[in-house]
Amino acid sequence: SQQGEEDPQALSIQEGENATMNCSYKTSINNLQWYRQNSGRGLVHLILIRSNEREKHSGRLRVTLDTSKKSSSLLITASRAADTASYFCATVANQAGTALIFGKGTTLSVSS
Amino acid sequence: NAGVTQTPKFQVLKTGQSMTLQCAQDMNHEYMSWYRQDPGMGLRLIHYSVGAGITDQGEVPNGYNVSRSTTEDFPLRLLSAAPSQTSVYFCASSYLRSSGANVLTFGAGSRLTVL
């Protein structure tokens, strides 16, 4: 079964607004990653947050992690039409961390 | 660098036919994995490999075979295709960083239709 579950499944906003998507996972993790997928393309790594971190920033991206609630959130500030994509969280598939499993993703649509 | 290269990009099969999806990486990554992506299901792990000669099953391995004879290549074989295997397949490669993080680099995907 999939480790991460994103919420909401779909999100539509206007340019300039902030977009927040959430991820819940089931087991203990060393780190959690977020990936982005443009339509018809492969996934691209966005950001990684370690289990001992509570918040991490990268440009317009802000990721939080709450290990007590087994949840993470990805915030995209000042969204642009180019942010339109699907976003996935990923956690380790095994104890060795040699493979990842993904949630079902949040599809973000940013209109201008 | 080419990164992760998947071939073919598109393929149509008839039920019962066999085929191999090719995946090659030129980054000398230890780890490689195969995923399938279906609408509303996200990505599901099929098989993965931690090095040449070593493979393991993921979440949905049934109907698929893999082997890893070299570091660079990780082909995915469908021995007898079924309509349920209609999907988009993604190959990814990675290495375990000193921090313990395993960040994936994905190929562009192979879209398979089984009639």
Side-chain angles (χ1 to χ4, degrees), chain A residues 34-38 40-46 86-90 102-103, chain B residues 35 37 42-43 90-92 104-109:
Chain A
W34 285 90
Y35 287 76
R36 165 190 168 130
Q37 183 183 34
N38 284 31
R41 309 291 291 272
L43 279 71
V44 175
H45 178 257
L46 289 177
S86 293
Y87 294 83
F88 298 87
C89 66
F102 289 80
Chain B
Y35 295 86
Q37 184 175 31
L43 277 81
F90 288 97
C91 179
L104 304 187
T105 299
F106 279 84

Side-chain angles (χ1 to χ4, degrees), chain A residues 55-106:
Chain A
E55 188 171 308
K56 193 165 183 179
H57 296 256
S58 177
R60 293 184 296 111
L61 304 180
R62 172 181 168 245
V63 171
T64 62
L65 180 64
D66 187 334
T67 53
S68 66
K69 295 181 180 177
K70 291 188 168 58
S71 68
S72 173
S73 67
L74 172 67
L75 167 68
I76 304 173
T77 59
S79 296
R80 306 165 181 168
D83 295 325
T84 294
S86 293
Y87 294 83
F88 298 87
C89 66
T91 55
V92 293
N94 53 19
Q95 217 167 8
T98 50
L100 300 185
I101 53 175
F102 289 80
K104 296 180 180 179
T106 292

Side-chain angles (χ1 to χ4, degrees), chain B:
Chain B
N1 282 346
V4 178
T5 303
Q6 290 184 235
T7 55
K9 286 186 168 31
F10 302 94
Q11 182 72 49
V12 179
L13 289 178
K14 294 181 180 177
T15 297
Q17 287 185 319
S18 63
M19 78 155 301
T20 299
L21 298 176
Q22 302 290 346
C23 177
Q25 54 98 1
D26 61 0
M27 297 171 286
N28 202 31
H29 285 174
E30 301 169 89
Y31 305 149
M32 297 186 75
S33 47
W34 275 102
Y35 295 86
R36 60 176 290 173
Q37 184 175 31
D38 304 293
M41 295 297 294
L43 277 81
R44 291 181 290 171
L45 180 64
I46 304 172
H47 285 285
Y48 63 98
S49 169
V50 300
I54 307 169
T55 64
D56 208 343
Q57 296 182 349
E59 302 169 280
V60 289
N62 292 342
Y64 307 95
N65 280 353
V66 291
S67 60
R68 183 111 179 260
S69 56
T70 67
T71 300
E72 294 78 17
D73 300 299
F74 191 42
L76 179 71
R77 297 183 187 86
L78 287 72
L79 298 180
S80 179
S84 60
Q85 294 178 303
T86 293
S87 188
V88 181
Y89 292 86
F90 288 97
C91 179
S93 74
S94 61
Y95 66 97
L96 203 59
R97 302 178 183 194
S98 56
S99 62
N102 182 13
V103 175
L104 304 187
T105 299
F106 279 84
S110 296
R111 183 176 294 273
L112 175 66
T113 301
V114 183
L115 303 175

Side-chain angles (χ1 to χ4, degrees), chain A residues 18-65:
Chain A
N18 294 343
T20 299
M21 50 206 89
N22 305 296
C23 168
S24 59
Y25 57 91
K26 297 175 184 173
T27 62
S28 297
I29 60 170
N30 290 329
N31 62 74
L32 183 142
Q33 302 179 40
W34 285 90
Y35 287 76
R36 165 190 168 130
Q37 183 183 34
N38 284 31
S39 181
R41 309 291 291 272
L43 279 71
V44 175
H45 178 257
L46 289 177
I47 192 167
L48 178 150
I49 186 165
R50 295 187 176 80
S51 58
N52 61 355
E53 297 176 314
R54 291 296 168 259
E55 188 171 308
K56 193 165 183 179
H57 296 256
S58 177
R60 293 184 296 111
L61 304 180
R62 172 181 168 245
V63 171
T64 62
L65 180 64

